[in-house]
Amino acid sequence: MSRPDLDPDAIQARYISFKDLDCDGNARRVMERIQHLTAAPDRGSPFWDYFLGKRQPASGPAPDDLFLIHAHVNTIRELFEDCDDQDALALLDWVEEACC
């Protein structure tokens, strides 16, 4: 996993159109990493069960992955730091800077 490759001007595109950023795809990659890391028996917790359960709520509309990441970015960052997952941290930083 690595930081998405972008045209040098793409990061500025968020202020205009979000063109070529693939925020949804990269948010999905962050969520996949969270699922992978929290599947380990020593990483699971009630919070992560709650967090991942928000993706498919029992009622009401499901929030998109980008919204969930934005709302919990510091907790996600802590998970990635605790797991020493530098690639996931770089991707999270990119998603936060480019899409949130």
Side-chain angles (χ1 to χ4, degrees):
M1 181 181 302
S2 62
R3 193 176 183 104
D5 292 324
L6 292 176
D7 179 280
D9 296 325
I11 206 81
Q12 298 303 319
R14 76 181 187 144
Y15 297 110
I16 300 166
S17 68
F18 288 87
K19 181 181 177 203
D20 299 325
L21 294 182
D22 190 20
C23 292
D24 291 335
N26 286 302
R28 187 173 42 258
R29 290 175 62 206
V30 170
M31 295 299 280
E32 288 168 356
R33 199 70 201 140
I34 293 167
Q35 286 180 300
H36 174 76
L37 292 172
T38 60
D42 62 328
R43 295 280 179 210
S45 76
F47 172 78
W48 291 114
D49 293 341
Y50 165 77
F51 175 83
L52 292 169
K54 286 178 138 185
R55 294 178 87 189
Q56 297 176 345
S59 64
D64 64 28
D65 289 339
L66 188 58
F67 174 81
L68 289 173
I69 291 166
H70 179 73
H72 300 282
V73 70
N74 291 326
T75 308
I76 296 167
R77 183 179 316 285
E78 185 177 315
L79 171 69
F80 292 166
E81 287 172 350
D82 288 348
C83 294
D84 196 28
D85 191 333
Q86 298 304 310
D87 289 338
L89 279 167
L91 179 60
L92 179 64
D93 285 344
W94 185 90
V95 167
E96 183 180 17
E97 290 172 20
C99 301
C100 290

